[in-house]
Each structure stands twice: as C-alpha cells, then as structure tokens.
Amino acid sequence: MEDNRIVELYWARDERAISETASKYGKYCHTIAYNILRDQGEAEESVNDTYLGAWNAMPPHCPSVLRTFLGKITRRISLKKWRDLHRDKRGGGQVSLALEELSECVPSKSAVEDEILAAELSKTLNCFIASLPATERQIFLCRYWYLDSIDTISRSFCFSRSKVKSMLYRTRVKLLNHLKKEGAL
C-alpha cells in the first residue's frame, strides 16, 4: 500500500493503518529498535509503541515521508527505553559508545534546552550531513542514526574496521569544525 494511503487510514482513524504500517515498515522499525536495545522483546515493545505514537500523532501531523517519520518515533522511543533500562549503568553497548563518540562534537543537552536552539542545531547537522560524500554520509548515518556496530558497517561496506573507525573520526572532526564555524558551539 502506498504511504499516502496509509496516512489517510490514520487520519480516518481506521485500525487497518496499524496493520498496513506493520506490514510495510515493521522490519525497518524493528531493526532500528534492536540496534539500540539489543533485546528482541524490548525491540518488539518499542515497535508497538511506535505504532501507538504514529496513531496519536496523526492527525494533526501529516508526514511527507512516512518511513522517516516512523524511524524517528522508533528511535526516540528506543533511546528513551534504553536510558530507562541503563539509568544506573554506564558503558557497554553501541548506544553509549556512539553517543560518547559524538559528545565531543554536539553540545550538551542542557546547552540546547531551548527548542529554537535545537531546531537551529538540527538544521546545521542536516546541512553538514547533506554536504558529505555519499559513502561517508551513509557510514556516518549507519553509526550515529541506526547505531550499527563498527563490525556491521565494515561488513556492509567491505571496509576494514580501521578504515571505518578512521572515516568516522575524520567525519566527527569535520562536524566539530562545521559546528564551530556555524556558531553552534
């Protein structure tokens, strides 16, 4: 079923919207959730929460790209669930490792509390990511959006682990310089 038809089902409050979403995007959402949580049960719960989140968001929201909309909801829910599960723990897993790698570049949450600053930071990050060469952009997104491990990225792109690590390091340095140049730091 086409995305615009699925969105229409949500707007019409037709329960088929959930089953159509699950059929078309269930595996995609589960991959995002599992990469963050590393637990099948928790990932399934996050995906179900994604469907509820989409149901509650439409209307009034009418996403232009349903896949991205669902991915953002899944990611937000899964990261919150991961934080809740690891509230008293540090270290381990790809989530903490990826967030730690980016911490040198992205301002802390308390420095970006105001939504206007968050929107400006988002625009700056989007411009930066769009300016990257295709392979560098894909590797950056695999690591920091989908939270794939270095090994998974290495296999996907047929690169050595050290090449992937080096590319990510150079991209983070570019990001840091871009953020400084744009006044986001």
Side-chain angles (χ1 to χ4, degrees):
M1 181 178 281
E2 294 294 318
D3 287 358
N4 61 349
R5 181 67 184 121
I6 295 173
V7 172
E8 288 173 8
L9 290 173
Y10 278 104
W11 275 70
R13 308 316 280 167
D14 187 330
E15 291 181 11
R16 288 182 300 150
I18 304 294
S19 60
E20 292 295 335
T21 301
S23 174
K24 189 166 184 179
Y25 294 113
K27 186 175 179 181
Y28 167 73
C29 292
H30 186 272
T31 299
I32 293 170
Y34 184 79
N35 282 350
I36 294 169
L37 297 165
R38 296 291 178 198
D39 180 275
Q40 289 293 345
E42 295 292 341
E44 289 173 17
E45 188 176 323
S46 286
V47 173
N48 288 332
D49 290 347
T50 297
Y51 303 146
L52 178 62
W55 183 266
N56 290 335
M58 294 185 274
H61 192 75
C62 186
S64 56
V65 183
L66 186 58
R67 177 183 171 98
T68 304
F69 178 74
L70 294 169
K72 285 177 72 173
I73 293 172
T74 304
R75 189 170 191 277
R76 179 181 44 79
I77 288 169
S78 298
L79 284 170
K80 182 185 182 313
K81 186 177 292 293
W82 183 88
R83 281 187 206 102
D84 290 346
L85 291 169
H86 297 85
R87 184 171 288 131
D88 297 329
K89 301 177 189 173
R90 276 215 42 98
Q94 295 302 314
V95 176
S96 60
L97 190 57
L99 294 175
E100 186 177 313
E101 290 170 2
L102 279 177
S103 68
E104 300 166 6
C105 304
V106 180
S108 69
K109 187 176 182 179
S110 62
V112 192
E113 288 176 356
D114 185 57
E115 287 190 30
I116 295 171
L117 292 176
E120 289 175 12
L121 178 61
S122 178
K123 285 180 189 176
T124 302
L125 288 170
N126 287 336
C127 288
F128 170 76
I129 291 168
S131 73
L132 294 172
T135 302
E136 194 174 337
R137 178 175 54 243
Q138 289 170 336
I139 289 173
F140 188 82
L141 290 173
C142 283
R143 180 67 176 153
Y144 300 115
W145 176 259
Y146 295 107
L147 300 169
D148 289 339
S149 69
I150 301 293
D151 289 333
T152 301
I153 297 168
S154 298
R155 285 190 303 273
S156 296
F157 288 87
C158 298
F159 291 154
S160 68
R161 283 179 43 84
S162 63
K163 179 171 180 155
V164 171
K165 285 178 162 182
S166 177
M167 288 178 74
L168 289 168
Y169 174 77
R170 286 192 307 268
T171 305
R172 288 193 310 270
V173 169
K174 286 181 195 176
L175 173 60
L176 180 61
N177 291 333
H178 181 78
L179 291 172
K180 285 179 181 176
K181 179 182 158 200
E182 295 296 318
L185 287 181

